Amino acid sequence: MAPEPEQLSSLSNPLATVDQLSTSSSQLDGVPADLEGSLRFAGAKLTQAAGILLRLPQEIIAQAIVIFYRFYLGSEGGSFRINAVKDVSAASLYMTAKISFLPQSTRSVLNVYAYLLSPTSPLRQPSEGITGKEKPDAESYYLSEGSYHSARATLLQTESILLRSISFITQVTLPHHLALTYLQTLGVLPPSPTTKSSALAARTLAHLNTALFSPQLLYLTHQPPHLAVSAIYLAAREVGVKLPSMEWWEVFDVDRETLGFLVVGLGSCEGWIEGENEKWTEISCPLTLDELEEEIRRRDVENG
């Protein structure tokens, strides 16, 4: 990824190169491109759910998701057939929280993941099978002392592999606060917010959170100012807020071509997410190495 750490500013992130986006270690190991996209999405969902259960703020969760994506990037990155989704997700969240103001213990993190990976977890059940009326079976996600020490060793080992893979670049600058500042600069978010200005701010942040699950890896291909401006532009059109008639995005160093690409990308995220959720209604997306191998074998049999 580029640029080097010393070249990064407080408003920029290391971005993926063309080569890293075109070829991944997982594809070289025989993971189909569509399955790779599903695995990324499942890992991001798992990280999001774990962060919520740990009561972490969205800022930390979002940073962990970006770190998760970085790990599997390029031909020299991690492979889904070697580094399980569940392990990298847990390591990303644990490491990101550790360097934040809300560090989490290994036991807390592993207890949450034990639940999310259990058969009673909503993430592991078909959509139509979730009624919310059945009491979860606590034994299915109980982490014994022996299992805990084994999982802890895996967590710390994966954290070390993760850090080496991303060259110890843990900086993740998010566009959320920047977007709110831009809204104030544009004069559409007054000190005493109106109903419409509040709706605009909420919709802008919603687009930025949804973009975390984008198949186009928007957080790895564009800088925070670009994402913030595009989310504002799209949200303003949806809410019906009139922005300055001039090409205001150029004030924030965003050109029209980049704006157009990101607006389309942001707008298509929700549809893609719905499609992914429908794809895995009968079975859950593989989160462990054994489940991934079983899914690849199933596809091989179906394809003859």
Side-chain angles (χ1 to χ4, degrees), residues 97-143:
K98 183 165 67 173
I99 60 178
S100 75
F101 59 93
L102 282 175
Q104 301 293 306
S105 68
T106 55
R107 186 174 289 276
S108 294
V109 172
L110 294 174
N111 280 338
V112 164
Y113 274 85
Y115 166 69
L116 291 174
L117 295 169
S118 70
T120 55
S121 165
L123 294 181
R124 307 290 274 174
Q125 296 180 13
S127 299
E128 61 272 15
I130 302 175
T131 62
K133 297 180 180 179
E134 299 179 2
K135 185 178 180 180
D137 180 12
E139 292 186 0
S140 66
Y141 55 87
Y142 171 70
L143 200 61

Side-chain angles (χ1 to χ4, degrees), residues 137-197:
D137 180 12
E139 292 186 0
S140 66
Y141 55 87
Y142 171 70
L143 200 61
S144 67
E145 196 65 20
S147 297
Y148 163 70
H149 285 293
S150 175
R152 182 178 183 275
T154 300
L155 174 64
L156 297 180
Q157 181 183 29
T158 306
E159 180 191 21
S160 176
I161 296 172
L162 170 64
L163 283 169
R164 291 199 302 271
S165 179
I166 63 174
S167 302
F168 292 86
I169 303 176
T170 59
Q171 174 179 325
V172 178
T173 302
L174 299 173
H176 299 63
H177 294 296
L178 203 57
L180 296 178
T181 301
Y182 288 176
L183 287 172
Q184 292 173 333
T185 303
L186 292 169
V188 291
L189 188 60
S192 299
T194 63
T195 301
K196 183 160 281 192
S197 66

Side-chain angles (χ1 to χ4, degrees), residues 7 22 126:
Q7 297 175 311
S22 61

Side-chain angles (χ1 to χ4, degrees), residues 60-80:
I60 295 176
I61 299 173
Q63 290 171 336
I65 291 174
V66 175
I67 292 293
F68 172 85
Y69 287 152
R70 285 179 185 174
F71 174 75
Y72 290 108
L73 194 64
S75 59
E76 296 183 357
S79 168
F80 284 114

